[in-house]
Amino acid sequence: MKKIKVSVLGANGQLGQEFQYLAGKYETFNFSFFSREDVDITSESAIRKMISDVNPDYIINCAAYTAVDKAESDIKACYDVNTIACQKIANAINGSKVRLIHFSSDYVYHVYDGMPLREDGPTEPKSIYAKSKYEGEEILRKSGIEVMIIRTSWVISSFGNNFVKTMLRLGKERSSLNVVNDQYGAPSYARHLAKTILEIIIKLNEDPTLSDRFNQTYNFANEGVITWYDLASMIIKEAKLPCIINPVPSSAYPTQAVRPKWSILSKHKLKEAFNITIPHWHAAVKECMDAIVHNK
Ligand SMILES: NC(=O)c1ccc[n+]([C@@H]2O[C@H](COP(=O)([O-])OP(=O)(O)OC[C@H]3O[C@@H](n4cnc5c(N)ncnc54)[C@H](OP(=O)(O)O)[C@@H]3O)[C@@H](O)[C@H]2O)c1
């Protein structure tokens, strides 16, 4: 059977490395991975060259400017990668049969109504990062290319830097830690997200009637509702570290970029569209911690 050709951009980030980790486990795909050095997504000619060299069926764009606080003073660099590059990717793809899978953020919502945030609900991106991600989404939705946009939250992984790794490090160094307890959300284990994307591509390949479900915006996160305090407490307990976690309000930790207090994503649309199940956050964090311990 003909293999599905997948090009992964931003391949050295958390999510990109999870695709690299999974690559050997799937016979179905022929992967090509591109770090920033290989393909800088701010260069349309670099993207065009990659497409002409590889002729991919899918491009998975894991590249992003993710330094949320730095973005407040580094506006151009953030927009170049999160917004303007979306137009360049779309230009390079336009007219071809290449499908794009792109990732966005829970930050685009920034609304609180006590209910899981739905893809068709209101968006009020507030920080530079959030606005740059939302405007990137809009460019892609209007571009005419085939694009699936996945809004995800609180990304964790055994690769790169993230909250789990920070807690494991600080939990060894300190006897107590203050962690905010008034921002609600759920982690997204990047390995689960990457697996979900690959399963969706397989399903699309097996059943062409699902094609009209591709060109959509979806949410993804692990199941459940917690705060950062809950997450930190679980990590410290699971790692058996003698560190006390104290719950504090966000006001105790002023940040340059405002954080949403409510990041509970409804996963209903994605689960229904592709008949998938998503693991609970607790199992996801345990799996991620196990991957960190075993260096995989
Ligand atoms: N991290 C989170 O908590 C979070 C939450 C919600 C949504 N998301 C979204 O999820 C997606 C994946 O995030 P992640 O956590 O995997 O991000 P990440 O670990 O920060 O990785 C991003 C990657 O993009 C690369 N990159 C930056 N500029 C580039 C450019 N001009 N050309 C090519 N590559 C470039 C970076 O390269 P360098 O290593 O060289 O900098 C890095 O490898 C992103 O769209 C992000 O916005 C993330």
Side-chain angles (χ1 to χ4, degrees):
M1 204 174 121
K2 189 173 161 280
K3 293 201 178 195
I4 306 168
K5 284 198 265 181
V6 174
S7 287
V8 178
L9 301 174
N12 285 350
Q14 296 190 76
L15 187 55
Q17 288 189 74
E18 294 290 0
F19 280 107
Q20 295 198 51
Y21 173 81
L22 292 173
K25 304 187 187 304
Y26 288 83
E27 294 274 297
T28 330
F29 299 102
N30 188 350
F31 282 100
S32 304
F33 293 98
F34 302 93
S35 68
R36 184 209 292 255
E37 288 68 35
D38 303 321
V39 175
D40 184 328
I41 65 163
T42 63
S43 162
E44 192 173 318
S45 61
I47 304 162
R48 283 186 187 279
K49 181 171 183 317
M50 180 279 290
I51 292 175
S52 116
D53 289 349
V54 178
N55 189 23
D57 299 299
Y58 287 85
I59 294 175
I60 301 180
N61 179 29
C62 300
Y65 184 109
T66 55
V68 172
D69 288 316
K70 194 173 167 213
E72 294 297 305
S73 54
D74 197 17
I75 302 170
K76 184 179 178 310
C78 177
Y79 266 83
D80 278 349
V81 180
N82 290 348
T83 316
I84 296 164
C86 289
Q87 186 63 61
K88 294 180 177 170
I89 295 172
N91 292 346
I93 288 177
N94 227 325
S96 74
K97 287 192 175 151
V98 181
R99 283 175 159 174
L100 174 67
I101 297 172
H102 177 78
F103 299 94
S104 186
S105 167
D106 57 305
Y107 281 32
V108 302
Y109 290 111
H110 217 128
V111 284
Y112 175 79
D113 63 5
M115 296 292 284
L117 299 158
R118 286 168 46 123
E119 296 85 344
D120 59 357
T123 48
E124 284 181 41
K126 291 196 168 49
S127 62
I128 295 294
Y129 168 78
K131 287 176 185 164
S132 72
K133 292 299 285 185
Y134 184 73
E135 288 171 38
E137 285 187 12
E138 283 287 88
I139 285 171
L140 291 173
R141 274 190 289 269
K142 289 175 186 157
S143 67
I145 63 166
E146 281 213 68
V147 56
M148 175 184 275
I149 297 168
I150 309 280
R151 292 173 176 162
T152 186
S153 62
W154 300 18
V155 175
I156 61 168
S157 167
S158 54
F159 304 112
N161 294 315
N162 56 67
F163 188 81
V164 178
K165 287 187 157 179
T166 304
M167 286 301 117
L168 287 174
R169 179 172 49 80
L170 294 179
K172 283 176 196 149
E173 291 169 8
R174 306 215 190 140
S175 58
S176 71
L177 286 170
N178 295 341
V179 182
V180 297
N181 197 30
D182 57 1
Q183 292 172 23
Y184 295 84
S188 303
Y189 182 25
R191 189 162 304 172
H192 290 172
L193 174 53
K195 266 188 197 168
T196 299
I197 296 299
L198 297 179
E199 295 301 327
I200 288 172
I201 296 177
I202 290 170
K203 287 186 182 206
L204 285 160
N205 204 44
E206 287 171 352
D207 181 358
T209 65
L210 293 176
S211 277
D212 58 351
R213 300 181 190 183
F214 182 80
N215 222 1
Q216 294 280 336
T217 300
Y218 294 101
N219 292 332
F220 178 95
N222 285 108
E223 300 281 14
V225 177
I226 50 170
T227 67
W228 291 109
Y229 163 79
D230 297 322
L231 181 52
S233 302
M234 183 266 178
I235 294 163
I236 295 298
K237 188 173 167 211
E238 200 64 34
K240 299 189 173 60
L241 293 170
C243 176
I244 294 160
I245 306 295
N246 302 310
V248 295
S250 303
S251 54
Y253 273 108
T255 48
Q256 281 160 291
V258 61
R259 303 292 196 274
K261 292 221 163 174
W262 186 251
S263 288
I264 307 300
L265 302 176
S266 166
K267 280 82 65 181
H268 183 75
K269 185 177 172 186
L270 189 71
K271 290 190 288 186
E272 282 289 297
F274 297 104
N275 191 23
I276 52 166
T277 54
I278 301 176
H280 191 264
W281 72 266
H282 200 276
V285 176
K286 270 180 108 160
E287 211 182 299
C288 178
M289 289 175 71
D290 187 60
I292 292 169
V293 168
H294 294 101
N295 217 4
K296 61 177 191 182

